[in-house]
Amino acid sequence: MLVAKLIDTTLCIGCKACEVACQEWNDQEYTLGTFDGSYQTMADLAPNFWNLIKFNEIEKDGGTSWLMSKYQCMHCADAGCIAACPAPGAIVQLANGTVDFAHDNCIGCGYCITGCPFDIPRLSPKTKKVYKCSLCSDRTAVGLEPACIKTCPTNCLTFGERDEMLRVAEAKTVELRADGHKDAGIYNPAGVGGTNVIYVLKDAKAPESYGLPRDPTIPWTVQLWKGPMKWLGSFAFIGAVLGTFFHYVIYGPQDPELHGHKDEEAPHD
Amino acid sequence: MISPEIRIPRFDAYERVMHWMSALSFVYAALTGLAIWSPKLYWLAALSGGGFVIRGTHPWAGVIFTAVMGWMFARWAKTMGLDADDRVWLGKMEKYATHKHDELPESGRFNAGQKMLFWSQVLTALGLLGSGVVLWFPESAPRTLRLAAIALHPLAAIGSIAGIIVHVYMGVAAVPQSMRAMLRGYVVPEWARFHHAKWYREWRDANTLQKP
């Protein structure tokens, strides 16, 4: 059974309780940030900070308003990080859809950072391994909801069976359209096979204004590397080994006695 | 008859050290690279401490390899230029592979095949270095560059490793005595005349071994 986290951006009040809950449950050390004129806690995600409420400022009707987004791992069905990861078992996809990093197997190459279309994983300079939201796999495994869901005071965040979450999201967009938000919709991008973190957006036609990519996909160079290039390489390596071996079997080594210039006089010394 | 006791110096100690430094760093980088390249070859990582260790050591092996390639370039680039005979030789490469040496033009210190290997290794080394540095520091390079490097690095490596497989075959099996040339530095006149006739004559003319 697939699970999903539903983020109804219209209900977010920017309290950041989910950030604190995430830090607490995952036992992350708090890193002091700097105030840079925004209500946002941090400028960016960090190896020890997996969940950032972004205060996306937009100019609308002569005033400034916020579009809240929850910057975190989207737990893609076709995950770019898994496609790019070269270390067997370092990134696993659980039966419930969670994309989880197994740090014992992580070699810290950072390919997942490149493969991720959402720019989520962060390399720790301390442990030299990569970190991101685990969807609280240690909680969901025992039937608990993720820490951020547990703490959200407005029901902006809900968690449950994926189909149910999609139904709730659909009902909410219908409601929003009726309220005059004619572009309201669900963000569940098909390019990565759908995600297990789903958004309800007031303006689904402009996901970029929430800091979400319009059409995230697994990069084609990653697919090239994991697909056709494996064949090309196997062909080249096996071909070179077998080709040289059979060359020896057929023609043997070069031998001046047998293959020399017969018509030329032998050099005199 | 040529006296087999005569030794013609082919590679001096600098060149031998240079060649074997590049060879050792290449083999290490290639084996650890193959481990990262395919999950089916990941067991190779265990030969050198596992995946986490080789993620740290592979780039340094690459740095050593490209540094030695730079040395090799400085020392050999001039010699490796193709002359008119080499171009003819390349057009008839199958004659070389099938031991029809009579139909090939004579070679200098390096034959055209060796020269092509040299230039292909220079080219792939540049590709490996450029893409390798980008992959080494995933959080410092722009994503577009990293995405290009993810495809370019293995592509250059495939070309490079395939070329070296053939090179090793030539050195170990196909051209007897070439291994001794690279390990101990000398060849015998008959070998030199057969494989590198123009180079042999240069040596002969520069030494006192003239026709009686």
Side-chain angles (χ1 to χ4, degrees):
Chain A
M1 182 193 78
L2 291 173
V3 294
K5 182 190 284 190
L6 176 60
I7 304 164
D8 181 351
T9 54
T10 63
L11 292 178
C12 179
I13 55 170
C15 70
K16 305 163 200 165
C18 55
E19 293 181 358
V20 177
C22 178
Q23 296 298 94
E24 285 290 318
W25 177 261
N26 293 298
D27 201 17
Q28 309 277 30
E29 177 191 343
Y30 176 72
T31 313
L32 197 62
T34 50
F35 180 70
D36 53 1
S38 164
Y39 275 89
Q40 213 167 289
T41 322
M42 296 280 181
D44 197 8
L45 295 176
N48 61 351
F49 188 69
W50 302 343
N51 168 37
L52 171 66
I53 297 301
K54 271 195 179 173
F55 287 59
N56 304 289
E57 292 179 7
I58 57 157
E59 300 290 329
K60 200 178 173 188
D61 307 329
T64 302
S65 70
W66 283 315
L67 291 176
M68 302 300 191
S69 61
K70 191 174 189 290
Y71 188 32
Q72 65 149 85
C73 173
M74 299 293 285
H75 298 276
C76 310
D78 295 331
C81 57
I82 296 182
C85 179
I91 310 179
V92 292
Q93 194 161 35
L94 309 184
N96 69 7
T98 305
V99 176
D100 207 2
F101 283 12
H103 291 105
D104 283 350
N105 297 328
C106 175
I107 64 172
C109 64
Y111 275 32
C112 53
I113 300 170
T114 302
C116 175
F118 296 96
D119 186 26
I120 299 297
R122 293 289 182 272
L123 189 61
S124 162
K126 209 185 285 175
T127 64
K128 299 209 169 17
K129 297 195 178 200
V130 187
Y131 298 85
K132 66 158 192 74
C133 160
S134 65
L135 204 68
C136 284
S137 54
D138 49 348
R139 290 175 59 88
T140 57
V142 293
L144 297 171
E145 55 195 358
C148 57
I149 312 285
K150 178 84 178 163
T151 203
C152 180
T154 66
N155 257 356
C156 160
L157 303 178
T158 42
F159 180 80
E161 200 181 326
R162 190 165 185 275
D163 290 341
E164 174 62 14
M165 290 297 108
L166 283 169
R167 269 195 296 277
V168 171
E170 189 55 45
K172 181 64 187 233
T173 57
V174 170
E175 203 178 295
L176 284 168
R177 287 194 202 110
D179 279 356
H181 300 288
K182 58 181 185 350
D183 293 327
I186 301 172
Y187 186 76
N188 173 32
V192 289
T195 52
N196 293 304
V197 172
I198 296 161
Y199 275 93
V200 171
L201 302 177
K202 259 187 205 166
D203 185 359
K205 291 209 169 117
E208 298 92 343
S209 55
Y210 293 87
L212 295 166
R214 176 173 291 277
D215 188 22
T217 51
I218 298 180
W220 69 268
T221 55
V222 170
Q223 292 176 332
L224 178 72
W225 168 48
K226 286 286 181 166
M229 209 174 286
K230 293 271 192 285
W231 288 102
L232 177 72
S234 306
F235 182 76
F237 299 152
I238 297 169
V241 169
L242 290 180
T244 52
F245 176 73
F246 282 107
H247 178 267
Y248 192 84
V249 169
I250 296 166
Y251 297 104
Q254 295 178 10
D255 184 345
E257 300 248 317
L258 290 175
H259 310 124
H261 292 257
K262 299 284 193 310
D263 51 344
E264 191 184 292
E265 57 169 328
H268 301 273
D269 298 320
Chain B
M1 277 299 291
I2 308 167
S3 164
E5 278 87 56
I6 295 171
R7 294 177 172 192
I8 305 179
R10 178 142 175 85
F11 299 112
D12 67 19
Y14 283 109
E15 287 175 328
R16 284 167 1 233
V17 168
M18 176 175 87
H19 173 270
W20 290 111
M21 275 177 71
S22 77
L24 292 173
S25 55
F26 182 90
V27 168
Y28 184 84
L31 291 178
T32 51
L34 285 168
I36 295 168
W37 178 60
S38 170
K40 293 187 180 69
L41 297 172
Y42 193 67
W43 55 272
L44 286 168
L47 300 177
S48 182
F52 190 75
V53 170
I54 64 166
R55 190 268 183 262
T57 54
H58 173 88
W60 285 107
V63 165
I64 295 169
F65 174 71
T66 33
V68 179
M69 280 299 283
W71 181 13
M72 207 179 269
F73 184 85
R75 201 167 171 115
W76 282 348
K78 252 188 205 159
T79 327
M80 292 291 179
L82 292 174
D83 63 21
D85 281 346
D86 289 328
R87 276 180 252 279
V88 175
W89 193 102
L90 284 176
K92 299 179 170 181
M93 219 148 96
E94 82 284 357
K95 306 285 183 198
Y96 182 80
T98 53
H99 300 331
K100 296 193 175 84
H101 282 240
D102 289 346
E103 298 170 44
L104 286 166
E106 295 178 331
S107 294
R109 187 178 178 206
F110 297 107
N111 71 31
Q114 292 173 299
K115 290 176 179 177
M116 292 314 286
L117 178 84
F118 175 82
W119 291 113
S120 68
Q121 290 299 320
V122 167
L123 185 73
T124 51
L126 286 174
L128 288 165
L129 176 69
S131 56
V133 168
V134 168
L135 293 173
W136 199 353
F137 306 104
E139 292 193 308
S140 304
R143 184 166 185 243
T144 324
L145 269 185
R146 282 181 278 133
L147 286 172
I150 270 189
L152 183 63
H153 200 71
L155 192 65
I158 289 168
S160 179
I161 295 172
I164 292 300
I165 291 174
V166 176
H167 177 61
V168 169
Y169 166 65
M170 301 296 292
V172 170
V175 183
Q177 299 186 40
S178 57
M179 198 63 163
R180 188 178 60 196
M182 195 44 95
L183 281 171
R184 299 298 306 119
Y186 64 88
V187 293
V188 297
E190 192 188 32
W191 187 96
R193 189 185 70 81
F194 176 66
H195 291 287
H196 302 277
K198 284 193 280 186
W199 174 71
Y200 167 74
R201 281 196 296 274
E202 271 170 39
W203 172 83
R204 188 191 60 189
D205 296 347
N207 289 271
T208 50
L209 296 158
Q210 302 292 338
K211 287 184 187 184

